[in-house]
Amino acid sequence: MGEVAATMKIMPEGVDTDLDDLKIRLEAALPEGASIFGSEIEPVAFGLKALKLVVLVGDLEGGTEPVEEAFAAVPGVESVQVTELGRPV
């Protein structure tokens, strides 16, 4: 089994959302077999910032869908979008 690196853009519910705390809650929500490989905060507009995470997932059936669903269920998350897929380097 190989791994896929999925870059995900997580939009918080508002500008007052603590992104460090949100990242901790997202890590806790990861399905078994997935792990966070890297992260960064990306300014969006008018003080709003997105959390970009690189998540390693197995290349089994379902791909990133279980991770997307788990992240979307975390309080404080407005939306989850996969922006890039590839093999980890």
Side-chain angles (χ1 to χ4, degrees):
M1 175 181 88
E3 287 187 319
V4 175
T7 302
M8 298 185 172
K9 184 176 185 176
I10 295 93
M11 294 299 299
E13 288 181 340
V15 294
D16 57 341
T17 302
D18 181 347
L19 296 181
D20 292 325
D21 180 57
L22 182 59
K23 181 182 172 190
I24 291 168
R25 288 185 277 138
L26 291 169
E27 287 175 348
L30 278 171
E32 186 176 331
S35 62
I36 293 180
F37 185 68
S39 67
E40 70 176 312
I41 295 174
E42 177 181 272
V44 178
F46 306 107
L48 185 62
K49 297 176 183 176
L51 184 59
K52 289 182 77 172
L53 299 176
V54 178
V55 180
L56 297 180
V57 294
D59 62 358
L60 298 174
E61 185 176 331
T64 62
E65 195 169 314
V67 176
E68 292 175 72
E69 291 173 356
F71 282 1
V74 172
V77 172
E78 178 68 31
S79 66
V80 178
Q81 177 183 15
V82 176
T83 59
E84 188 178 339
L85 281 174
R87 294 283 177 195
V89 191

